[in-house]
Each structure stands twice: as structure tokens, then as C-alpha cells.
Amino acid sequence: MTKTEEIFKSNGCPYTNQSQGNDLRVVFVCSAGLLRSPTAARIAGEYGINARSAGSHLHCALIPLSANLIQWANWIVFMNPENEFEIAQKIPDADLLEIMRYKSIVWNIEDTYNYMEEGLEWILRKKIEETFDVRI
């Protein structure tokens, strides 16, 4: 049996399992999941955070924020209030919406940056360090 088969067989779902370790799990969400949130996920990884990126525009995001990612994450960081609002309007399940809101952190990083742009990197490092009390 492979390690992946073991995880799915023993847990039923992979939200928490010992194979992923105990690192903080964070999903970063921007509009399309292509620029700000992947930059944040990459930088967060440097701080030892188990990070993913997703998009709030469900029709055009590379990886849309899903129920599975909401359940998996310890925290969901929305790049701006519009991203959180857009997802909240699309979640029909009241329990899942409550879980998402409980885990939500909303920053105010507008959609004006390119992937790994120096100014965005600086802002994200500062926000990650302040929000999660981590240092490299």
C-alpha cells in the first residue's frame, strides 16, 4: 500500500494527518489565484508554513477556493475584502460559511502586482511575520 493510499484509507479525508506534519496550514486567496496568492504561498513556505493558493473568481481561477481547502486550512488569508465577499456569496452551506469566516484573515493588498514582484514580496513578508508571528 502506498503512503497516499494509507492516508486516505485511515482518515477518510486528508484534512489532517500525521504525514503532513504539524506545520501551520494556510490558504492564500486572491482573485484568480495566479499572482498575489501564489506569491504569498511561496513566501510563507520559507517561514515553514504549509501554504496553498487559490482564487475567489470561481469561473476563472486556476484553483478555486473549495470546501476541501476551507476544511484543510488552519487559516484562510484573503488578499482583500472583495475576495472574501465574493467567496462568501457563493457558499450555500451555512456551516461551511461559518467555518470559513472563523478561519478568515483579510488583508488589504490590491490587485496591482505581478507574481513575485519586489514590492509585493516586501508587503507579504511583513504581513506574514506580523500575522503568524514567524521569522526566518
Side-chain angles (χ1 to χ4, degrees), residues 24-96:
L24 183 65
R25 296 184 310 273
V26 179
V27 176
F28 294 93
V29 182
C30 65
S31 299
L34 296 171
L35 303 172
R36 293 170 293 162
S37 62
T39 301
R42 182 172 173 182
I43 291 169
E46 295 173 16
Y47 289 87
I49 296 170
N50 187 349
R52 304 287 182 273
S53 63
S56 63
H57 290 272
L58 302 183
H59 63 281
C60 68
L62 181 63
I63 300 169
L65 184 63
S66 65
N68 283 345
L69 285 171
I70 291 169
Q71 294 283 3
W72 172 83
N74 298 116
W75 295 105
I76 303 164
V77 177
F78 292 93
M79 291 295 122
N80 61 40
E82 293 83 14
N83 298 133
E84 182 189 38
F85 179 79
E86 187 168 25
I87 289 293
Q89 297 303 304
K90 295 175 182 167
I91 296 178
D93 182 329
D95 291 335
L96 185 62

Side-chain angles (χ1 to χ4, degrees), residues 103-136:
K103 296 179 176 187
S104 290
I105 296 169
V106 181
W107 291 342
N108 196 20
I109 301 174
E110 293 305 316
D111 193 6
T112 57
Y113 297 97
N114 288 315
Y115 176 72
M116 296 302 290
E117 187 174 318
E118 186 177 332
L120 177 60
E121 282 190 59
W122 184 85
I123 290 167
L124 290 170
R125 286 184 193 286
K126 185 176 178 186
K127 292 266 192 198
I128 288 167
E129 288 178 4
E130 290 173 356
T131 302
F132 302 110
D133 194 27
V134 293
R135 303 285 180 271
I136 294 181

